[in-house]
Amino acid sequence: MKNSFKLILIPVLLLAAGFNSCSTSSTEGDKSKDSLEAYVSERLPIYAKVKLTTDIQKLTENQRQVLPLLIQAAQVMDELFWAQAYPQRDSLLATIKDEKTKEFVLVNYGPWDKLNGNKPFVYGIGPKPEGSGFYPADMTKEELEKSDIKDKRSLYSMVRRDSAGKLYTIPYHIYFKDGLKKASDLLKKAAELSDEPQLKNYLSLRAEALVTDNYNPSDYAWMDMKDNGLDIIIGPIENYEDALLNARAAFESYVLVKDREWSQRLEKYVGMMPELQRGLPVDSKYKNETPGTGSQLAAFDVVYYAGDGNSGGKTIAVNLPNDEVIQQKKGTRRSQLKNAMRAKFDKIMIPISEELIDKGQQQHLNFDAFFANVMFHEVAHGLGIKSTITGKGFVREALQEQSSWLEEGKADILGLYMVSSLLKKGELTGDIKDYYTTFMAGILRSVRFGASESHGKANMLCFNFFNEKGAFERTAEGRYKVNYEKFASAMNELSSKILKLQGDGDKSAVEKVQQEMALIHPELQSDLDKLGKKGIPVDVVFEQGIDVLGLK
């Protein structure tokens, strides 16, 4: 897609970001280049290709007119995320002759392998800057802290140097003005066409948010949507890409079509949040907040991923908004991406379980349990504590770059706690063995994302903690067998540990846990390597868009 704003934006970013460039001049370099091309040939197949579709016959004529506009707006987020992650995309691709390497660059939104600790795979490219493209590449965290910049940890600004080398910031709505204007206009047009009142209101407010950086009104409007058949998550949202400060938000989008039948099955769980909060296995001071009951659970077919959400590993559920004040007032919306979830279950989870789960327990792996575990992971983000009990402010502020991975670990383990509690109450059906076995297989799936990524770190913490507690054993056949009684007690112990770490806001303690527990040991790595040799995918890439859907 050609965008007028890209031609203006990229040259500015190239000078400002100071990213490494490619060089392939020497004979020694050619050998290195050959080895990197061989690496790419091995790594590219870890992504299974999946077509993103939905039953368009269920769409109204009006929705068929609105949906392409939403996809076009999402495509703009793709361009903006490139400008944050690796702004010189076009010049990089122009230097690469190997087609597989080009394809891998597009999958990773840059020359670093996101599912292998951001390993460079293009010759001449050095380590990925921790701050990605949000900051000057030579800037340190200490330099920023000592500067007189007021919005050091702003969600919505880029940090740059002036001609004298002094740091300053530029708000997103100015820095990315042309692209945001284009996306805003598309959302306005979609709002004008839409015959769904709540969606119309949200799209209008979101269009305004993109060009002002004031996202709260549209977030509240998004939380109030109940009856919409279409949805779009769009804008600067998650801060995982900013590994330096875990502060600045990256552009992304998901275009969604609601699955009304499955959504109706999920609605009843939101009202149970306060009761589940009171039952958390931790001292009362770590659970004295009351979670919002305005939260919504809904299932969707996702028909387009863009930007940060499409980079490297693909999410199969979304829990937003991230703003703690909105969460405390309104809760969150948990969107389950059912078609993407099914694709990962069929193409990845089942093959993994056939290789690594004890043969006698493979019968307990099923999609309904996988769906529930993922769903309650997202719901569990709303449980626990958002503000520290030690006067250090919000947990995210206190833990800084350590906050995201620990929050994902909390959601993993409290999601499983919710499943266990709801089964005991008779509010959820099934055998607890199904949920625990599927959770174990889910850990083995997710740790393949690598321990450098937030979800990977979270899964490794869970794996290593459960291993210490004897919640599973590795059999002589090299398969993992769940001890169901110990699994339950380990779940409660880890829940308490994480909630205390968050409530205390002790960053150094969290760093210690990460260094000791959020890592992959050689035995597990050898098992994961076995999966790769069997050709089992790690994740998925999508064939997506208006043409794939059969829309014009």
Side-chain angles (χ1 to χ4, degrees):
M1 183 182 70
K2 293 182 178 179
N3 294 306
S4 60
F5 67 87
K6 185 177 74 173
L7 299 175
I8 299 172
L9 181 66
I10 295 297
V12 176
L13 288 170
L14 279 167
L15 294 172
F19 276 58
N20 289 327
S21 60
C22 293
S23 173
T24 57
S25 59
S26 69
T27 304
E28 182 178 350
D30 289 337
K31 291 180 181 178
S32 297
K33 187 170 70 171
D34 288 344
S35 66
L36 288 172
E37 288 179 2
Y39 171 83
V40 169
S41 293
E42 292 179 1
R43 293 290 292 168
L44 191 56
I46 72 171
Y47 291 93
K49 291 185 178 179
V50 175
K51 281 190 176 182
L52 278 185
T53 60
T54 191
D55 185 356
I56 64 172
Q57 301 305 317
K58 292 183 179 180
L59 299 177
T60 67
E61 184 59 35
N62 179 262
Q63 289 171 337
R64 292 188 191 202
Q65 295 176 32
V66 173
L67 190 55
L69 293 170
L70 301 183
I71 291 173
Q72 290 170 34
Q75 289 170 333
V76 177
M77 297 300 107
D78 220 48
E79 294 294 321
L80 296 181
F81 178 65
W82 269 107
Q84 293 177 315
Y86 195 81
Q88 62 271 51
R89 171 194 61 188
D90 293 346
S91 61
L92 173 67
L93 292 173
T95 67
I96 298 172
K97 295 180 180 180
D98 180 61
E99 292 301 319
K100 289 183 178 179
T101 301
K102 287 184 179 180
E103 185 178 351
F104 207 46
V105 166
L106 295 176
V107 168
N108 287 280
Y109 287 71
W112 300 286
D113 187 348
K114 286 194 171 246
L115 300 190
N116 190 18
N118 284 317
K119 178 178 178 178
F121 58 85
V122 174
Y123 176 67
I125 296 292
K128 182 176 181 179
E130 284 190 323
S132 200
F134 299 104
Y135 312 92
D138 62 347
M139 189 203 80
T140 64
K141 187 187 301 185
E142 292 72 24
E143 181 186 8
L144 181 64
E145 295 295 348
K146 292 177 180 178
S147 74
D148 57 3
I149 291 176
K150 293 181 179 179
D151 56 342
K152 291 182 175 66
R153 297 183 178 275
S154 167
L155 276 170
Y156 310 127
S157 70
M158 301 287 278
V159 179
R160 292 292 174 255
R161 293 190 189 279
D162 62 20
S163 58
K166 184 178 180 181
L167 298 176
Y168 69 102
T169 58
I170 311 174
Y172 281 3
H173 74 274
I174 296 175
Y175 196 87
F176 300 105
K177 180 180 178 181
D178 294 336
L180 292 173
K181 174 67 164 52
K182 181 173 182 177
S184 178
D185 288 345
L186 286 163
L187 293 187
K188 287 178 182 177
K189 187 174 180 181
E192 291 170 0
L193 281 176
S194 178
D195 60 6
E196 300 181 83
Q198 292 176 340
L199 178 63
K200 181 187 289 286
N201 182 49
Y202 163 64
L203 292 176
S204 297
L205 291 171
R206 201 64 173 184
E208 180 65 18
L210 289 175
V211 295
T212 62
D213 292 334
N214 181 17
Y215 287 91
N216 279 10
S218 60
D219 280 342
Y220 280 112
W222 187 66
M223 286 294 297
D224 289 337
M225 286 202 300
K226 309 288 184 182
D227 303 321
N228 54 303
L230 300 181
D231 200 354
I232 183 170
I233 297 167
I234 186 168
I237 299 172
E238 302 288 1
N239 49 22
Y240 302 124
E241 184 69 18
D242 177 6
L244 185 70
L245 294 180
N246 203 220
R248 282 167 169 80
F251 287 102
E252 66 181 335
S253 186
Y254 306 91
V255 181
L256 311 170
V257 176
K258 182 173 283 186
D259 185 323
R260 295 188 182 277
E261 179 182 347
W262 274 73
S263 295
Q264 289 174 0
R265 294 167 58 180
L266 306 181
E267 289 177 354
K268 67 177 182 179
Y269 298 117
V270 176
M272 301 177 184
M273 294 281 285
E275 181 183 357
L276 290 165
Q277 173 84 350
R278 290 192 293 271
L280 289 173
V282 70
D283 291 345
S284 58
K285 61 184 177 181
Y286 294 99
K287 55 182 178 180
N288 58 10
E289 298 175 0
T290 301
T293 55
S295 302
Q296 298 174 52
L297 281 174
F300 293 88
D301 280 341
V302 54
V303 296
Y304 204 86
Y305 283 72
D308 191 30
N310 194 41
S311 175
K314 314 301 186 296
T315 188
I316 48 180
V318 182
N319 176 57
L320 293 169
N322 286 327
D323 185 277
E324 293 91 344
V325 175
I326 298 177
Q327 288 180 3
Q328 289 175 336
K329 290 182 179 179
K330 302 281 286 188
T332 59
R333 286 183 68 190
R334 286 93 178 190
S335 303
Q336 312 301 303
L337 312 185
K338 185 168 167 279
N339 57 342
M341 201 181 297
R342 185 87 222 191
K344 291 201 182 190
F345 183 79
D346 292 342
K347 291 181 177 292
I348 302 173
M349 283 277 285
I350 292 295
I352 285 176
S353 70
E354 290 173 348
E355 291 294 326
L356 292 183
I357 296 297
D358 181 75
K359 291 180 180 178
Q361 294 185 341
Q362 287 180 16
Q363 62 183 309
H364 292 298
L365 191 86
N366 65 64
F367 179 71
D368 283 353
F370 181 53
F371 184 90
N373 285 342
V374 174
M375 174 180 69
F376 287 114
H377 166 104
E378 298 305 329
V379 176
H381 279 298
L383 293 178
I385 194 163
K386 301 298 179 185
S387 297
T388 63
I389 65 171
T390 54
K392 297 180 181 179
F394 287 121
V395 172
R396 186 163 57 170
E397 295 171 343
L399 299 185
Q400 298 177 14
E401 73 277 4
Q402 295 292 327
S403 65
S404 291
W405 80 269
L406 189 64
E407 175 62 22
E408 292 303 329
K410 181 202 80 172
D412 282 341
I413 201 65
L414 291 192
L416 194 62
Y417 152 80
M418 292 183 72
V419 166
S420 302
S421 298
L422 291 169
L423 278 171
K424 291 177 183 177
K425 296 176 185 294
E427 297 291 349
L428 193 65
T429 60
D431 186 339
I432 190 62
K433 293 180 180 179
D434 294 350
Y435 295 96
Y436 285 177
T437 306
T438 303
F439 185 87
M440 185 72 219
I443 291 177
L444 295 172
R445 176 186 73 87
S446 296
V447 297
R448 297 177 78 202
F449 295 153
S452 65
E453 186 266 344
S454 291
H455 296 82
K457 291 176 184 176
N459 277 273
M460 282 317 308
L461 169 62
C462 187
F463 179 92
N464 289 324
F465 189 90
F466 275 44
N467 189 27
E468 283 187 2
K469 301 299 179 180
F472 62 83
E473 64 172 306
R474 187 178 182 274
T475 68
E477 294 180 336
R479 294 175 178 270
Y480 293 85
K481 185 176 182 180
V482 175
N483 182 315
Y484 296 111
E485 290 184 4
K486 291 184 178 180
F487 215 79
S489 60
M491 171 190 72
N492 287 331
E493 284 187 56
L494 183 55
S495 297
S496 178
K497 181 180 182 71
I498 291 177
L499 290 170
K500 287 179 180 177
L501 285 169
Q502 289 187 320
D504 292 341
D506 187 344
K507 184 182 173 185
S508 61
V510 178
E511 288 174 339
K512 183 179 180 182
V513 170
Q514 181 195 323
Q515 292 165 3
E516 295 176 353
M517 301 289 286
L519 42 85
I520 299 177
H521 292 292
E523 186 175 65
L524 174 60
Q525 187 60 58
S526 69
D527 292 333
L528 300 180
D529 291 343
K530 238 190 301 185
L531 300 178
K533 291 175 183 177
K534 290 282 186 177
I536 298 172
V538 177
D539 212 83
V540 294
V541 290
F542 301 116
E543 297 176 24
Q544 58 179 357
I546 296 170
D547 292 341
V548 174
L549 288 171
L551 295 172
K552 295 182 180 179

